[in-house]
């Protein structure tokens, strides 16, 4: 990475630093919104007139003003009164953002650093986890079974007991498998990173990633099948592998998603059913897309329709071909999306145009006068009605077109 000399006093070098950061982030994808937000709390305080405020870095989903929330592991319920992301007031905070959450129904004395703000029912705290671990090369002694350590994960800190799997001791610089038994529960997911420290004398031992945050039982320490299972899980569960393939591809035929995942037939079918049942994947006939992609696509489509109705209130809807062009998706997939949204009641579908539910062409009083005057001319001269040009000249092109469509 480039090194920049900067001065906090004079500001010298800061523009170059900012430009380098912009360049680094230019091609980085947005953090995925998996619909299951979690915000590990790193600060808790009160503000006069607002009440309890917690801060943290949001991941895995979005939080919006008015959302019901749950603090874990305490289970305390609450509601979001307000949000700030990077010091800006927001209605919705997105994954990856530094977020301040103003909570109602929660007293500041009830919240502590290390708890996690989530949507109710989406996560289960755990007091046992299987992890892959690397012991630092410069530690003072090997890691042994039944050692008591401090576990740091997210913003939480708790005491844990090490169950060393497959060996009696782990030498400095070596990697291995551990089962950690925690004194207090934490919220964790597969792939989360963690750090272990020796409490006394204080020493950082190493860290790694979580493989199974919810193991069903204490493992037999020298069971080869346990090690084999952990190694397989470390490479990713079939459902997680398939979901990552779908996230990478975007909307695509199911066959392409499965090919990219490199899963075998039975494993891919089971993973697909699991993701469809949980709502993380959506199937539109032969096309698959993630819940994240579907939400973004639906939001864009509805936004285009709303803008079109505002710009052209006398038109019954947006032409199908124009909407398809704005969305920049293939005709087959476009038709599937329109059919799905129409069946859900999210849009009105017509042969030549698409409209939002409830959209009707309504003339203003001034426009209605023009319409009535033109219709009176037709009634007064049934055998010699006005020409098209006469009609357009009298009421205007938009009103004339609306009268034809009506």
């Amino acid at each position: 990475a480039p090194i920049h000399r900067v001065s906090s006093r004079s500001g010298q070098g800061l523009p170059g630093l900012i430009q380098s950061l912009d360049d680094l982030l230019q091609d980085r994808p947005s953090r995925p919104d998996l619909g299951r937000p979690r915000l590990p709390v790193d600060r808790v305080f009160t503000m006069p007139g607002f009440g309890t405020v917690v801060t943290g870095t949001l991941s895995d989903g979005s939080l919006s003003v008015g959302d019901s929330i749950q603090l874990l592991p305490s289970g305390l319920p609450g509601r979001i009164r307000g949000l700030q992301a990077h010091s800006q007031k927001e209605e919705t905070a997105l994954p990856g953002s530094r977020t301040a959450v103003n909570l109602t129904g929660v007293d500041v004395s009830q919240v502590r650093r290390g708890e996690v703000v989530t949507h109710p029912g989406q996560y289960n705290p755990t007091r046992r986890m299987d992890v892959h671990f690397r012991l630092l090369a410069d530690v003072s002694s090997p890691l042994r079974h039944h050692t008591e350590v401090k576990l740091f994960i997210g913003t939480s800190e708790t005491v844990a007991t090490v169950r060393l799997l497959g060996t009696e001791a782990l030498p400095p610089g070596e990697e291995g498998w551990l089962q950690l038994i925690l004194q207090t529960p934490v919220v964790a997911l597969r792939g989360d990173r963690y750090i272990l420290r020796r409490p006394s004398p204080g020493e950082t031992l190493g860290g790694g990633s979580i493989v199974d945050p919810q193991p069903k039982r204490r493992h037999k320490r020298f069971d080869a099948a346990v090690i084999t299972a952990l190694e397989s899980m470390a490479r990713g569960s079939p459902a997680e592998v398939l979901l990552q393939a779908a996230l990478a591809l975007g909307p695509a035929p199911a066959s392409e998603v499965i090919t990219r995942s490199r899963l075998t037939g039975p494993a891919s079918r089971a993973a697909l059913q699991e993701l469809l049942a949980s709502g993380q994947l959506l199937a539109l006939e032969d096309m698959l897309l993630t819940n994240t992609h579907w939400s973004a696509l639906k939001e864009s489509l509805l936004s285009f329709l709303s803008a079109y109705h505002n710009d052209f209130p006398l038109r019954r809807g947006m032409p199908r071909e124009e909407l398809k062009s704005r969305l920049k998706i293939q005709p087959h997939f476009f038709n599937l999306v329109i059919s799905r949204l129409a069946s859900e009641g999210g849009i009105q579908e017509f042969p030549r145009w698409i409209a939002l539910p409830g959209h009707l062409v309504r003339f203003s009083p001034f426009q209605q006068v023009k319409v009535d005057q033109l219709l009176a001319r037709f009634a007064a001269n049934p055998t010699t009605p006005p020409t098209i040009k006469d009609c357009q000249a009298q009421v205007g092109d938009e009103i004339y077109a609306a009268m034809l469509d009506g």
Side-chain angles (χ1 to χ4, degrees), residues 164-357:
L164 197 54
L165 304 178
T167 184
E168 289 291 353
L170 192 66
E174 295 294 319
E175 300 182 6
W177 301 98
L178 312 179
Q179 186 171 69
L180 300 176
I181 310 300
L182 316 183
Q183 280 192 5
T184 56
V186 300
V187 174
L189 288 184
R190 182 189 174 279
D192 284 355
R193 309 293 296 185
Y194 70 93
I195 290 172
L196 296 185
R197 280 182 56 83
R198 200 188 310 273
S200 181
E203 180 183 30
T204 299
L205 298 174
S209 60
I210 296 172
V211 177
D212 186 355
Q214 302 277 350
K216 295 180 180 179
R217 61 184 66 87
R218 291 195 177 206
H219 300 309
K220 295 179 180 179
R221 292 184 53 218
F222 294 94
D223 187 343
V226 169
I227 304 300
T228 300
L230 290 174
E231 290 173 346
S232 177
M233 291 179 66
R235 292 192 292 269
S237 71
E240 289 171 327
V241 171
L242 191 63
L243 180 61
Q244 290 302 317
L247 282 167
L249 283 175
S255 58
E256 290 185 19
V257 178
I258 292 172
T259 298
R260 184 181 179 94
S261 72
R262 302 179 67 182
L263 294 174
T264 60
S268 66
R269 286 191 293 271
L272 179 58
Q273 290 304 312
E274 179 182 338
L275 293 171
L276 291 173
S278 67
Q280 295 180 74
L281 275 187
L282 184 73
L284 301 181
E285 291 188 3
D286 62 330
M287 300 289 287
L288 289 179
L289 68 162
T290 67
N291 182 55
T292 303
H293 288 132
W294 173 248
S295 297
L297 179 60
K298 183 163 63 172
E299 181 179 348
S300 295
L301 187 150
L302 297 179
S303 176
F304 288 147
L305 289 179
S306 178
Y308 192 89
H309 290 331
N310 286 334
D311 292 339
F312 305 102
L314 297 184
R315 299 184 186 180
R316 292 186 64 185
M318 188 174 185
R320 293 178 68 103
E321 289 301 314
E322 182 175 346
L323 179 58
K324 181 177 68 178
S325 176
R326 295 290 296 276
L327 290 172
K328 299 178 181 179
I329 56 179
Q330 296 298 317
H332 173 63
F333 184 56
F334 173 80
N335 292 334
L336 295 177
V337 170
I338 295 301
S339 296
R340 176 64 176 255
L341 282 176
S343 68
E344 294 176 350
I347 59 172
Q348 298 181 89
E349 181 184 14
F350 300 94
R352 291 188 293 123
W353 56 73
I354 308 295
L356 291 175

